[in-house]
Amino acid sequence: MAGIPSIGTELFLVKAGDEQADTKIAHLTSAGAIQGTAEEIDVTDHDSPNGNKEYMAGAVDFGTFDFAGNVNDPTLVAKLYDLLSSKVLRSWYVKYKDGSRADFDGPLQSFGLDEQTTDGLITCSGSIRISGTPEYQPTAASDGA
């Protein structure tokens, strides 16, 4: 197999409080990356070999998960605007075509309707600020990849 197709990737907001089910952030046209970057800590001292800088890894920052999509459900748009205003940390997951998924927590950092053109669809985009460490859950079909 050449790889796992990205078409079919889904983003979900995990249910909380009195919500009955996880909310699918539907009709995505783009689902971002979950990629960490370790800060660097300068540990250079006067005994560093050959006068060279030395570093060790610091805290890992997983950045933001960006998404974009077509608007088909105005109630979902309203829910995401409310979530942005609430500033509440929520749980999310991205489900891939092969059934694997990545789970993470974070507040909705940005959300809005995009520019509207005369020959296009109403679209939206947003970013979730990843807080903590995401967890990737492979499926049996993707083990060993």
Side-chain angles (χ1 to χ4, degrees), residues 5-142:
S6 63
I7 192 164
T9 298
E10 299 173 304
L11 173 63
F12 290 87
L13 172 64
V14 176
K15 67 181 178 179
D18 61 354
E19 295 171 341
Q20 298 299 309
D22 296 346
T23 301
K24 180 179 176 183
I25 310 304
H27 307 286
L28 293 183
T29 57
S30 176
I34 299 175
Q35 184 173 356
T37 302
E39 295 176 348
E40 60 182 40
I41 300 171
D42 186 341
V43 295
T44 308
D45 59 36
H46 292 289
D47 295 322
S48 293
N50 302 315
N52 292 320
K53 300 286 280 183
E54 295 182 287
Y55 299 93
M56 63 183 278
V60 177
D61 183 350
F62 283 92
T64 60
F65 180 87
D66 302 324
F67 63 93
N70 297 325
V71 174
N72 289 51
D73 180 0
T75 60
L76 179 59
V77 171
K79 181 173 186 160
L80 291 173
Y81 272 127
D82 288 346
L83 186 59
L84 177 63
S85 296
S86 77
K87 303 177 188 121
V88 174
L89 183 100
R90 293 287 301 265
S91 294
W92 307 79
Y93 62 93
V94 179
K95 187 174 176 185
Y96 302 101
K97 182 117 178 144
D98 69 341
S100 62
R101 65 186 252 180
D103 296 66
F104 58 93
D105 295 330
L108 186 61
Q109 185 178 43
S110 68
F111 177 76
L113 296 176
D114 298 326
E115 180 181 3
Q116 309 306 307
T117 62
T118 58
D119 61 347
L121 297 173
I122 297 175
T123 60
C124 63
S125 58
S127 295
I128 303 160
R129 182 63 166 109
I130 298 174
S131 178
T133 304
E135 182 180 325
Y136 182 75
Q137 300 176 20
T139 62
S142 65

